Each structure stands twice: as structure tokens, then as C-alpha cells.
Amino acid sequence: MGLLEALNKVKSEKYDPKKDDISSGFQPIPDGTYTVTLSGVNHGVWKKSGTDFVRFSFDVVTGEQAGRQEHITPILASKKSNGDPMPESVLARSIKMVQKIGAMVGFDVPDKVFMGANESEDYEMIQNEFREAGVIGKLLKLTIKSSPNKKDPDNPWRNYKFEEAEQPTTASVEDPFKDAATGMEITDDDLPFGK
């Protein structure tokens, strides 16, 4: 899709920049299985709430949805926004998700990333460990399956399954001159053009 097509799509949505949110009209990637790259692991802070997060970003690399992104934000906060304790099941699921993503790109996530003084430290360590492991850009399979959200029917839950994907291979090229004679001396007389 080119810029002109995108502009025409925005116009067809009757987007009003004075009233509408920029994410209005956003359509999530449809349910399905995709080959994706782990394109980023970033620690940030939500502007509205000031709450820390770590976001895993995935770029779809093949098929009809190629070029689209999916962002997954596991929750490692010990308390909910209202101050109640975060359910252990939510924290356990988030830990498993971080470990699973790591395993699917060939990275054994160290336990220390879950042992910081607070979730902000944990998110920072997760970001740094994934980056230092050199796994950003690795391929994996991502399956997305939506399920109903009783509290907010317009925003169904997005469930994720991760699997390993075959990594592209790089061509190994040998030096074609490796067996050439060494110590050869070339003079001006050997050159094909005049003196």
C-alpha cells in the first residue's frame, strides 16, 4: 500500500484530527499463524498512568499480513492499578510468556530478570538481556487466537502461541584466491596499459 492509498483509507474512515484518536480505525492482525521476527524488546512508561511496561514487538514477514506488527506486553507488576495484589496466575503466565519467546528464538532467559527490586528493574533487565543475546531479528511462529472479553466485548482477548521457525541460512563463500601463489611480484611491464 502506498502513501496515496493510505491517505484515501484515512479519508474513507472520515477521520477528524480534532476529535478522533490516531488509533481509531486500527484493525488488529486477524487470528492465524504467522512467521514473524522478534523486532524489538523495549522497556517504556505509559504516559497516562506512569506505569512501566516491557513490550515485545513482532513483524509479520510472509503472507497477506506481511509488514504488520503485533505488540505483546506481559504484566510483571506485583499490584493492579487499584492497589490490589496482582493474581499469581497472571504473573506466572507472563513469566512463562517471556521464557517461551526467548526459547523460540534460541535464548534461555535467565531467572535474574524476574528478581529485580521492582518491575521497572525487571523490565529493564529483560530488555537488556534479549538485546545482548543477539536474538532481535530472529524468526519464530506466532499463532493468534481471539476469545470473548465479557467485560469489554469490543476488545476480545488475544491469546498467543509461540513456536520455533527455521532460521535463514547465510551463504558461506570461500576466498577464491586462497590457494594462489604468494610472493608474486608485479612490475610496470606486467600491466596492460602504457607507461
Side-chain angles (χ1 to χ4, degrees):
M1 173 185 282
L3 192 56
L4 181 57
E5 289 89 359
L7 176 61
N8 288 333
K9 181 172 178 7
V10 169
K11 287 183 177 215
S12 74
E13 294 171 359
K14 299 191 184 333
Y15 173 70
D16 183 347
K18 291 180 182 174
K19 299 180 199 168
D20 297 336
D21 184 24
I22 61 170
S23 62
S24 65
F26 170 78
Q27 293 298 314
I29 296 173
D31 288 3
T33 299
Y34 304 97
T35 300
V36 298
T37 62
L38 174 59
S39 57
V41 179
N42 299 295
H43 171 215
V45 177
W46 297 112
K47 288 181 184 176
K48 270 187 172 179
S49 65
T51 306
D52 285 74
F53 65 87
V54 67
R55 175 180 292 143
F56 288 82
S57 299
F58 303 92
D59 291 347
V60 178
V61 295
T62 59
E64 222 176 87
Q65 302 299 322
R68 302 220 24 219
Q69 287 192 325
E70 184 74 14
H71 302 285
I72 299 173
T73 309
I75 298 167
L76 298 175
S78 58
K79 294 187 185 287
K80 295 180 184 182
S81 59
N82 66 4
D84 290 346
M86 186 66 69
E88 188 176 300
S89 61
V90 171
L91 296 173
R93 181 175 168 84
S94 292
I95 289 169
K96 288 177 182 179
M97 182 181 290
V98 171
Q99 291 174 332
K100 184 71 168 186
I101 293 168
M104 295 304 99
V105 294
F107 173 48
D108 187 15
V109 177
D111 289 347
K112 72 178 182 179
V113 304
F114 305 110
M115 298 179 188
N118 53 49
E119 67 267 14
S120 182
E121 283 185 18
D122 294 337
Y123 294 151
E124 189 69 18
M125 284 191 286
I126 291 168
Q127 169 190 274
N128 294 339
E129 290 290 328
F130 270 84
R131 288 179 180 179
E132 289 171 16
V135 295
I136 305 300
K138 295 275 187 166
L139 294 176
L140 65 155
K141 296 273 186 193
L142 170 63
T143 299
I144 302 169
K145 186 173 184 203
S146 299
S147 60
N149 180 347
K150 292 177 186 173
K151 291 182 181 177
D152 188 0
D154 291 338
N155 292 302
W157 297 111
R158 292 179 64 80
N159 304 292
Y160 301 103
K161 179 180 174 189
F162 304 95
E163 298 174 276
E164 288 180 296
E166 187 175 330
Q167 300 301 315
T169 56
T170 55
S172 91
V173 180
E174 289 188 32
D175 179 0
F177 302 106
K178 72 176 184 174
D179 296 327
T182 57
M184 186 186 254
E185 195 172 308
I186 298 176
T187 65
D188 288 343
D189 294 334
D190 295 322
L191 300 176
F193 38 87
K195 296 178 188 177

